[in-house]
Every structure is written in C-alpha cells, then in structure tokens.
C-alpha cells in the first residue's frame, strides 16, 4: 500500500504539502492559533484548552505568550513547565519533542521543514521535514533558529541569535552562526 503524503512527511521522505489531508490539518491549526493569539492573559483556562487541542502532547505548567505560530501543532510534544515568549514559530512538519523546564526567549524559530537543494526536485513542489529534539532544562535565546534534524541536549543554553545547524550536546553553552559550543557546564 502506498504511503500517504502525511506518512511521507513524518518519515522524512519527499512529500507534497498541497495534499488535501495536510491542507485540512493546517487549516484546523490555523483556526486554533487565531483563537489562541486573540486571547488575553485573563483567559488562562481557554488558552490551556486550545493548547491541549493543538499540540500532540503538552505537559503541566505550559505558558506560551501570544502570538505563537505553527504549521500543524499535532506534531509538537512538549513536557512540563514549557515557557515560550512572544513570537515563537514552530514549523512542525515533522515531530518536535521538547523536554521539561524549557525556556524559549522571544522569536525563537524551530524549523523541521526544509526543501531539496537540487533545483529540479525543488521545482517539483516536493518538500522535506526532519525531526527536532530539545532536551530537559534548556534555554534558547531570542531570535535563535533551530534547523531541521537537530538535537539539543539536556541542560544546554543556546545563545541569542544563534543558528543551530548541527546537534548540540548536553551541559554546554553554545552560540553563533553556525552555533558552536563555547563552554562546558
């Protein structure tokens, strides 16, 4: 039996994002995000309910400051005590696993989505997506970008403005473009 475009997307194969099933799932996420982003700080229970419906899994004590944006939501699996500041973006075309006690400064961007580098394949409209893992007790500084396929280890700090193109181990401070380890913890 042939794989669906969603199955291809989640397995890291070339897929068509214009597939009807994927379009419909993005529409659902878009509606939920529009509602979430229009809530006020007094609407804690409504925010919590929306995030429960939007995410694949979300732990206790999560606080996401609107606006927040993602593609599907259902591919995001977050642990307890997640904090995201203003303007965070998660392109969750593949799974994004976020550990416990993770802090995202403003405008952190998490990208599982990417495009083929070969122009002929890219022009076909097919895309790729690779999973991202962020460990426990991680702090990601403002305007940092986490690229497709990256793992960030436990207890690590990613400096503001960093572009994380490769895995970063546990217990380090890493900064820069491209992001590199500058200190062991």
């Amino acid at each position: 039996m042939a794989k669906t475009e969603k199955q291809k997307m989640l397995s890291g194969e070339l897929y068509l994002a214009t597939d009807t099933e994927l379009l419909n799932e993005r529409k659902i996420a878009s509606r939920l995000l529009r509602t979430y982003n229009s809530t006020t700080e007094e609407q804690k229970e409504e925010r919590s309910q929306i995030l429960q419906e939007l995410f694949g899994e979300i732990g206790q004590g999560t606080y996401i400051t609107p606006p927040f944006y993602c593609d599907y939501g259902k591919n995001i699996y977050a642990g307890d005590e997640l904090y995201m500041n203003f303007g965070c973006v998660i392109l969750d075309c593949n799974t994004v696993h976020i550990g416990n006690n993770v802090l995202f400064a403003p405008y952190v961007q998490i990208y599982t989505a990417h495009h083929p580098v070969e122009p002929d394949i890219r022009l076909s409209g097919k895309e790729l997506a690779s999973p991202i893992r962020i460990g426990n007790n991680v702090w990601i500084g403002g305007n940092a970008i986490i690229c497709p396929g990256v793992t960030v280890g436990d207890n690590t700090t990613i400096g503001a403005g960093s572009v994380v193109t490769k895995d970063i181990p546990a217990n380090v401070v890493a900064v820069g473009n491209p992001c590199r380890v500058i200190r062991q913890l």
Side-chain angles (χ1 to χ4, degrees):
M1 187 166 131
K3 287 184 177 180
T4 66
E5 295 302 308
K6 181 177 180 175
Q7 290 169 326
K8 292 177 193 175
M9 177 181 81
L10 292 171
S11 65
E13 299 173 39
L14 287 167
Y15 72 97
L16 289 170
T18 55
D19 174 72
T20 302
E21 178 184 20
L22 296 176
L23 287 171
N24 287 335
E25 289 186 13
R26 287 196 307 274
K27 284 180 187 175
I28 291 167
S30 181
R31 277 188 226 114
L32 289 168
L33 289 166
R34 192 169 35 259
T35 302
Y36 186 83
N37 289 334
S38 68
T39 62
T40 66
E41 48 283 338
E42 288 83 20
Q43 295 174 288
K44 290 178 184 175
E45 186 60 37
E46 184 174 348
R47 282 183 176 179
S48 178
Q49 289 172 355
I50 293 167
L51 292 177
Q52 291 287 336
E53 189 175 346
L54 179 66
F55 280 34
E57 185 176 300
I58 194 158
Q60 298 295 311
T62 294
Y63 190 88
I64 299 175
T65 306
F68 167 68
Y69 305 98
C70 64
D71 279 327
Y72 297 94
K74 290 294 183 192
N75 299 323
I76 303 170
Y77 301 88
D80 294 335
E81 303 300 327
L82 169 63
Y83 175 75
M84 287 185 189
N85 212 321
F86 298 99
C88 289
V89 174
I90 300 179
L91 300 185
D92 62 315
C93 301
N94 205 311
T95 57
V96 175
H97 289 270
I98 302 168
N100 297 319
N101 304 305
V102 174
L103 304 172
F104 288 4
Y107 303 104
V108 168
Q109 301 164 65
I110 310 291
Y111 299 154
T112 66
H114 54 113
H115 297 276
V117 294
E118 297 86 6
D120 291 342
I121 299 172
R122 189 170 55 245
L123 290 170
S124 75
K126 293 184 178 182
E127 301 178 13
L128 294 161
S130 300
I132 291 175
R133 290 193 160 276
I134 298 169
N136 296 313
N137 311 313
V138 171
W139 175 27
I140 301 177
N143 284 309
I145 298 171
I146 310 296
C147 291
V150 165
T151 295
V152 175
D154 292 345
N155 307 310
T156 287
T157 296
I158 304 294
S162 295
V163 179
V164 184
T165 60
K166 295 184 174 147
D167 291 354
I168 302 294
N171 304 304
V172 300
V173 175
V175 301
N177 181 5
C179 191
R180 67 193 184 298
V181 174
I182 62 165
R183 189 172 105 193
Q184 300 289 322
L185 297 175

